[in-house]
Amino acid sequence: MAFLFNSDAARGAIFREAFARELPDIEFFQAGESVEPERIRYLISWTAPEDIARYSNLEILFSIGAGVDQFKPGSVPRHVKLVRMIEDGITRMMQEYVALGVLTLHREMTAYREQQRQAQWRPLAIPPASERRVGFLGLGLLAQASIERLKPFGFALSGWSRNSKEIDGVECFSGAGRFADFLQQADILVCLLPLTDETQGILDAELFARLPEGARLLHVGRGPQLDHDALISALDSGHIAGAMLDVTDPEPLPAADRLWSHPKVVITPHIASVTQPGTAARAVIENIRRHRDGKEMVGLVDRTLGY
Ligand code: GLV
């Protein structure tokens, strides 16, 4: 029985060491090492290898990343269990980035960056955090962890999810029927939705129009959720006051794209949250143990929902 690590060698070395220590009965291989494909029971990868059908005894495919949208429909055999990466390192980095983004937008850092470029010393008035309503689109584990980090600042917190949730100190909206009510009270909208057929293009002109005047967007979901032209129009009209984007479509964003130089936009190159090999290896090992004990794995994807 073997585990195949199909990603970069440096991270693989960290996984190899953890597996040797914790699960010595599982043989460990890195991409490029020779192993008969039918011995592979577990595979970790960013996307599905083209020759995945060779692994005829594959039971579990672990995603290197938190999202699984990069596994194209039909690329993973139906009987294979697909598992998202849920690990402390990703969670902590997302908490940092969301705090950074919300504070950047709350404290007018995009405007000050522009003022600095023009050598302007001009304080801007801002509301207290308790009057800035921060709304999370998507209330999964990363959103909930980020919300916990934001609580001490005192923002008015809300969130929307498909199915109803209850989170202490957060006004929770759910279902299509409450979507507009949620949007109309989100001064800073944080998108942390998974990419699915339903969420593709969700950040569009209609959604921006429903946000309050002067709203801001922090996008840490997936690039294809955002209509770039709609965002630029909403920024240029002044309806949206600023945006911070960690994901774009395509990635990298082409050099000529108007978003790069837009004075109200901050862009980072999909670095909000990156899988940390030490904690990720621990999470995968723990999941293999759970699976062997007949328990449900953490992050098991519902293949019909796509997340
Ligand atoms: C990054 O976006 C990830 O999916 O881990």
Side-chain angles (χ1 to χ4, degrees):
M1 182 190 325
F3 183 97
L4 177 61
F5 185 91
N6 183 37
S7 186
D8 66 284
R11 286 203 273 189
I14 293 170
F15 266 71
R16 186 190 291 278
E17 207 183 291
F19 268 72
R21 203 174 47 236
E22 305 285 340
L23 293 174
D25 63 310
I26 298 181
E27 280 187 283
F28 187 97
F29 295 91
Q30 290 221 42
E33 290 172 354
S34 140
V35 52
E36 298 95 73
E38 57 278 10
R39 286 178 52 209
I40 302 300
R41 181 81 63 90
Y42 313 108
L43 169 66
I44 188 165
S45 191
W46 172 247
T47 54
E50 272 179 22
D51 58 357
I52 193 165
R54 291 195 320 137
Y55 304 112
S56 51
N57 289 315
L58 183 65
E59 218 174 295
I60 310 174
L61 172 55
F62 293 98
S63 171
I64 284 273
V68 289
D69 52 280
Q70 68 281 7
F71 294 96
K72 296 294 162 236
S75 71
V76 181
R78 290 308 295 186
H79 68 275
V80 172
K81 294 186 191 315
L82 182 59
V83 182
R84 294 181 290 131
M85 182 58 75
I86 296 176
E87 59 96 1
D88 262 17
I90 287 190
T91 307
R92 286 172 187 278
M93 286 186 82
M94 188 57 85
Q95 290 176 313
E96 290 173 3
Y97 191 92
V98 169
L100 174 74
V102 167
L103 292 174
T104 293
L105 296 167
H106 172 57
R107 297 300 302 263
E108 303 288 6
M109 287 310 293
T110 48
Y112 287 125
R113 184 186 58 173
E114 197 52 17
Q115 288 187 193
Q116 179 176 346
R117 226 173 43 77
Q118 298 171 18
Q120 274 182 8
W121 186 281
R122 193 159 59 87
L124 302 168
I126 58 158
S130 58
E131 288 169 27
R132 187 84 83 180
R133 299 164 298 177
V134 180
F136 281 77
L137 200 44
L139 283 172
L141 289 173
L142 292 176
Q144 292 190 35
S146 302
I147 284 171
E148 286 309 311
R149 271 292 183 279
L150 284 181
K151 278 184 178 171
F153 290 109
F155 291 108
L157 299 165
S158 66
W160 180 89
S161 53
R162 270 165 59 108
N163 300 316
S164 74
K165 299 240 161 104
E166 264 182 48
I167 304 168
D168 199 37
V170 180
E171 189 178 356
C172 293
F173 300 75
S174 64
R178 300 298 314 282
F179 195 52
D181 294 342
F182 163 72
L183 293 174
Q184 58 145 4
Q185 56 83 64
D187 297 318
I188 296 179
L189 182 71
V190 182
C191 179
L192 249 169
L193 286 169
L195 179 62
T196 64
D197 289 346
E198 284 98 86
T199 68
Q200 170 123 6
I202 192 169
L203 302 172
D204 62 3
E206 195 187 324
L207 177 143
F208 294 135
R210 290 191 189 278
L211 293 173
E213 191 69 27
R216 290 121 211 260
L217 171 69
L218 175 59
H219 189 23
V220 275
R222 285 288 189 248
Q225 290 164 340
L226 173 65
D227 178 338
H228 289 196
D229 290 337
L231 175 63
I232 290 174
S233 301
L235 288 164
D236 289 345
S237 75
H239 183 65
I240 299 290
M244 183 154 159
L245 314 174
D246 184 55
V247 289
T248 60
D249 183 30
E251 292 176 5
L253 196 58
D257 197 286
R258 284 192 299 157
L259 282 171
W260 277 122
S261 54
H262 200 289
K264 295 179 183 168
V265 176
V266 176
I267 295 172
T268 52
H270 202 140
I271 47 69
S273 181
V274 181
T275 300
Q276 305 295 305
T279 36
R282 228 177 292 149
V284 169
I285 287 166
E286 182 54 32
N287 256 340
I288 291 178
R289 289 205 176 112
R290 292 179 72 88
H291 179 66
R292 286 176 153 188
D293 290 348
K295 295 188 193 141
E296 181 162 310
M297 289 180 286
V298 178
L300 180 67
V301 172
D302 179 333
R303 301 286 297 276
T304 55
L305 291 175
Y307 64 93

